[in-house]
Amino acid sequence: MTGQRADDQTRSVNRAVTILTRSTEALVHATDEYDLLDDICRIGAEVAGYRLTWIGYARPAPGKLVMPIASAGTALDYLDRIEVSWGEGESGDGPTGVAIRSGQPCIVSDTEADPRFAPWRDAAREYGFRSTIALPIGEGEARIGALMFYSEQPNAFDPLTVRLLTGIAGNLAHGISALRMKARHDQTARELAESEERYRSLIEMAPDAILVHSHGTILFANPASSEVFGAGPDVTLVGRPLLDMVHDESRTMAISRIAEPPPGPYLGQYKLVGLDGRIFDAEVTACAITFRGMAARLLTIRDITERTQAQDQMLQTAKLATLGEMAAGLVHELSQPLNIIRLASEGALMLIERGKATAEWQAQQFQLVAEQSERAAEIIDDIRIFSRRDATPLQVFDAMDSVKSAIDVLSGQLKPDGITIELTPPHRASPVRGRRVQLEQVVMNLLNNAHHALKDVKGGMPRDWNGKISVSARHDSNQLLIRIVDNGPGIPDAIRARIFEPFFTTKEAGRGTGLGLSVSFTLIATMGGHLQALASDSGAAFVIQLPLAHEMQPFPASLPPCAPSHGAFGNAHVLVVDDETAAAESLGHYLKALGCRVSVAGTGEEAWSLFSSDPADVVITDLRMPAGNGEELVEKLRDFDPLQPIIIVTGHLGATERIADSLQDDRCAVLKKPLALGTLGEIIAEFLQPPAE
């Protein structure tokens, strides 16, 4: 018996050594976790000769079952007949459950005698098992399961064999950990590669220009950038200064953003220039990234020229709608100075005829006529500025100038309806960045809405009730808050939630387009601000919030021109062109009094004929005339002599800006009607000076 026992022990050790050697080879060559488990089980069964080898993974609560993951041997059906747990209880008290819970090998030397094996004894007897060992895989919280060997001999697992098999389980745990780590790495690498490919495809296929720059130098540009910036197929944007593609209008803001990038994502609008010279409006989204190991900025640039044009059209529609609503009030505003002019002039004529008009009194009346003409000119100028398409560049201006201008236009319309308006300005200048006319439009829209609300409600109020609009402004840190409040019926909560929607209006048909507040909201947003309707117990309340700019651009001061004295122009020849005979003759008399030789024409064709036969030193022409208008005449004069002094006088609202942009230079001036003679005289005197060489 002693010799037989020694032989059995020798065979057992040889088995363990064989498994250890072959399993080590399997671990070295393993590339997949489950293939490795299968190899270990196959080595235990086929090479070492164990009746059954299997590996089970511990599942979490509540069941805490041990699920077979890999197995090999002649008794595989055994696993289908048993249930093993690593929790407390009969099914968890076997060698597998104890090994997983304790982290120590658990040996059943004789399945017929060990009470812990009672639940599985019959099945073990049927499949020829007499001893078994369960070895934990992993340590502590990293313990994932157990490795089990079953032998047909009792007492098959002596201490030396146990040490060898424990080494196999330990190596297996390290192998599984390494394979899982490699699998995670491979998965991360695949996901990263897929992500890079996905984002590369998105960037390459994106219709918007995507640039990466560092300190203003372009490091990367996607294919769409070439199309957006008008670069040819052989022209690269990489390496170019970003500022080369920024229009002068947006350059200051771009330089500031490059020098001090704002934290977090940034969205702004810029005017850009393509390599082909095309100027376009762009929406730019920027964020910080790391590019090739250096700090950089990622820019997404979208050409919004068409959208801007559509917005401009909507803005213009809203302006004209506002002007239509204001028409009656504007007629009243213009009627007042015209009425004073007529009364003063007819009264003066009557007293002159009767010989009762002293020279001093006549001078007073003419001064009154001049002042009222200037008043009418200011009203017309406000309408002209408000109604034109605003293509002026962004600038820093005092917001309160826009507020006061809007109040000046509308205050005359409020008085007949018994509505007063009060302005409480801040104690210092309020510089903001944007377009002055657009802020004026917003304030005018809000005041106009308040006017309508107060006018409509007045009929149901006591006789002593009067409408009131309060406009106040204050600085709050780096923000300007403009508050416009009325004492009308207010805005219901349900309506207040929708008032900034396009085409939403509560006015009856014919009195509103529903664009005013929507356009106002957009205009304030483009200035980096916010327009909000506040809840109020009495009346409507709106707040315009705008970021304050750091500095204000100075506007040139203008001094009232002085009329030149008699004989100031020598015998200079001035050609006056106007289809209004009275205007032309009055102007001719003024110029003759200054010593000029004057020719008068009523059409552009007549003027060109006179000029061809007797060229004038200065030409003063209207624009809108029959038989060859002023624009055609100006073109002919410029073709004849590019330095010909020309003064264009017009009352056409749209032409003033258009002609000024295309023709005005140091030898051509554009003046608006009604004309100030002093200003005209100063310009003629300047034009008659010899040109600077």
Side-chain angles (χ1 to χ4, degrees):
M1 288 296 293
T2 302
Q4 181 64 37
R5 188 176 303 162
D7 291 341
D8 291 343
Q9 185 176 10
T10 300
R11 284 194 297 271
S12 178
V13 171
N14 289 338
R15 278 182 176 182
V17 172
T18 302
I19 295 175
L20 181 60
T21 302
R22 297 291 297 273
S23 64
T24 301
E25 295 175 358
L27 285 167
V28 171
H29 297 95
T31 58
D32 178 82
E33 176 181 345
Y34 296 100
D35 288 344
L36 172 62
L37 301 182
D38 287 337
D39 286 344
I40 296 297
C41 292
R42 181 179 53 78
I43 291 169
E46 297 178 3
V47 177
Y50 287 112
R51 296 279 294 171
L52 175 64
T53 303
W54 68 283
I55 298 171
Y57 280 177
R59 298 305 184 202
K64 290 190 175 182
L65 296 177
V66 180
M67 303 300 297
I69 302 300
S71 59
T74 58
L76 291 178
D77 292 345
Y78 171 77
L79 296 176
D80 296 331
R81 296 181 54 179
I82 65 172
E83 180 177 289
V84 180
S85 168
W86 61 280
E88 302 292 341
E90 188 180 50
S91 63
D93 287 339
T96 302
V98 171
I100 293 175
R101 286 200 306 274
S102 66
Q104 299 296 323
C106 183
I107 304 170
V108 174
S109 298
D110 189 345
T111 58
E112 292 291 338
D114 195 320
R116 295 175 299 176
F117 208 77
W120 306 280
R121 182 170 292 128
D122 291 341
R125 187 182 299 125
E126 182 177 344
Y127 287 96
F129 305 150
R130 286 299 302 274
S131 60
T132 181
I133 185 173
L135 303 154
I137 301 176
E139 297 179 355
E141 294 182 357
R143 197 175 306 127
I144 60 173
L147 168 64
M148 277 68 65
F149 295 98
Y150 292 78
S151 173
E152 73 279 6
Q153 300 294 329
N155 302 308
F157 302 100
D158 56 80
L160 180 57
T161 301
V162 170
R163 285 199 300 272
L164 293 173
L165 294 180
T166 300
I168 294 173
N171 291 342
L172 179 59
H174 291 300
I176 293 173
S177 178
L179 289 172
R180 287 186 176 182
M181 185 179 299
K182 181 178 181 302
R184 286 193 296 270
H185 176 272
D186 292 345
Q187 178 65 22
T188 301
R190 285 194 301 271
E191 291 176 354
L192 180 60
E194 291 173 0
S195 176
E196 289 178 349
E197 182 62 28
R198 184 162 55 248
Y199 283 107
R200 184 182 298 109
S201 299
L202 288 173
I203 289 174
E204 291 180 352
M205 297 176 64
D208 299 328
I210 298 177
L211 303 178
V212 176
H213 78 90
S214 178
H215 303 292
T217 299
I218 299 175
L219 306 178
F220 168 84
N222 71 332
S225 301
S226 297
E227 182 177 352
V228 171
F229 285 100
D234 299 327
V235 178
T236 180
L237 299 178
V238 175
R240 292 178 178 269
L242 185 63
L243 289 175
D244 284 357
M245 295 178 289
V246 179
H247 190 268
D248 290 343
E249 181 179 321
S250 299
R251 183 174 291 268
T252 300
M253 183 166 58
I255 291 174
S256 174
R257 293 287 182 265
I258 292 174
E260 297 182 7
Y266 168 78
L267 175 63
Q269 289 190 11
Y270 293 80
K271 192 173 288 294
L272 304 180
V273 182
L275 300 184
D276 55 359
R278 184 178 71 93
I279 300 173
F280 61 97
D281 295 314
E283 183 178 78
V284 180
T285 304
C287 65
I289 65 168
T290 300
F291 184 80
R292 295 173 182 169
M294 69 175 69
R297 300 282 289 177
L298 174 69
L299 308 181
T300 302
I301 302 172
R302 174 169 296 177
D303 186 340
I304 58 170
T305 303
E306 293 184 1
R307 189 174 82 187
T308 302
Q309 291 172 348
Q311 288 177 344
D312 289 344
Q313 183 63 42
M314 188 172 72
L315 295 180
Q316 189 67 10
T317 300
K319 284 184 184 180
L320 297 179
T322 301
L323 281 176
E325 295 178 9
M326 294 164 48
L330 292 172
V331 169
H332 172 77
E333 284 295 293
L334 286 172
S335 297
Q336 296 285 41
L338 291 176
N339 184 54
I340 296 172
I341 290 171
R342 182 166 186 173
L343 291 174
S345 58
E346 290 185 357
L349 288 172
M350 181 182 69
L351 293 180
I352 290 172
E353 290 175 357
R354 297 179 180 181
K356 296 182 179 181
T358 65
E360 181 181 358
W361 185 83
Q362 290 182 53
Q364 291 175 351
Q365 296 305 104
F366 284 125
Q367 181 64 34
L368 179 60
V369 169
E371 290 173 355
Q372 294 303 312
S373 297
E374 180 64 23
R375 177 183 171 189
E378 290 175 356
I379 296 172
I380 293 172
D381 207 39
D382 282 336
I383 299 171
R384 175 184 60 81
I385 294 173
F386 181 74
S387 63
R388 73 185 179 188
R389 290 185 182 275
D390 191 4
T392 58
L394 296 176
Q395 61 180 351
V396 177
F397 64 95
D398 192 334
M400 298 313 297
D401 289 342
S402 293
V403 174
K404 293 173 183 176
S405 179
I407 292 175
D408 289 342
V409 171
L410 288 176
S411 58
Q413 301 185 42
L414 302 176
K415 292 178 182 178
D417 295 320
I419 300 171
T420 59
I421 184 166
E422 296 180 355
L423 173 62
T424 306
H427 299 298
R428 58 184 186 274
S430 304
V432 297
R433 179 180 293 278
R435 293 184 172 93
R436 175 177 171 176
V437 173
Q438 292 183 349
L439 179 56
E440 182 178 335
Q441 178 183 354
V442 172
V443 176
M444 195 172 292
N445 280 335
L446 297 177
L447 293 177
N448 210 31
N449 287 343
H451 178 202
H452 288 163
L454 295 173
K455 183 178 179 180
D456 291 343
V457 77
K458 187 172 183 179
M461 302 299 275
R463 293 178 60 88
D464 59 348
W465 181 88
N466 287 309
K468 179 180 177 182
I469 303 174
S470 299
V471 181
S472 60
R474 65 181 179 87
H475 292 190
D476 182 9
S477 183
N478 60 343
Q479 300 287 317
L480 172 66
L481 303 180
I482 303 172
R483 186 181 179 94
I484 299 176
V485 182
D486 63 56
N487 62 339
I491 306 172
D493 292 342
I495 295 177
R496 189 170 62 252
R498 298 189 58 196
I499 58 174
F500 295 116
E501 296 178 7
F503 305 107
F504 177 79
T505 180
T506 58
K507 299 176 183 177
E508 62 268 21
R511 285 192 59 189
T513 63
L515 289 173
L517 287 176
S518 174
V519 168
S520 298
F521 187 89
T522 301
L523 289 177
I524 296 301
T526 58
M527 295 177 67
H530 183 62
L531 174 60
Q532 184 179 7
L534 302 179
S536 176
D537 296 335
S538 175
F542 289 86
V543 171
I544 300 171
Q545 179 179 332
L546 291 171
L548 288 166
H550 295 298
E551 59 183 10
M552 191 126 63
Q553 296 169 348
F555 289 92
S558 58
L559 298 175
C562 299
S565 60
H566 177 75
F569 300 149
N571 195 34
H573 182 199
V574 179
L575 174 58
V576 178
V577 189
D578 199 320
D579 59 335
E580 290 287 344
T581 303
E585 290 179 350
S586 297
L587 186 54
H589 286 309
Y590 169 73
L591 294 173
K592 288 177 182 178
L594 296 177
C596 296
R597 181 168 65 90
V598 180
S599 299
V600 177
T603 67
E605 291 181 355
E606 182 185 355
W608 177 246
S609 177
L610 288 174
F611 184 88
S612 299
S613 60
D614 185 11
D617 297 305
V618 178
V619 176
I620 304 173
T621 180
D622 194 0
L623 278 181
R624 305 187 70 177
M625 299 178 295
N629 63 29
E631 292 184 51
E632 295 173 355
L633 174 62
V634 171
E635 290 178 4
K636 291 179 180 179
L637 292 171
R638 277 301 170 89
D639 289 341
F640 176 81
D641 182 2
L643 298 179
Q644 170 65 44
I646 302 171
I647 299 175
I648 298 172
V649 180
T650 179
H652 183 46
L653 298 182
T656 304
E657 287 77 24
R658 178 168 50 81
I659 296 300
D661 290 341
S662 60
L663 292 177
Q664 190 166 355
D665 53 37
D666 59 354
R667 305 300 288 170
C668 179
V670 180
L671 300 179
K672 302 186 293 289
K673 294 182 179 179
L675 189 62
L677 292 179
T679 301
L680 177 66
E682 287 292 312
I683 294 175
I684 294 175
E686 182 180 346
F687 280 171
L688 290 177
Q689 297 294 323
E693 297 186 4

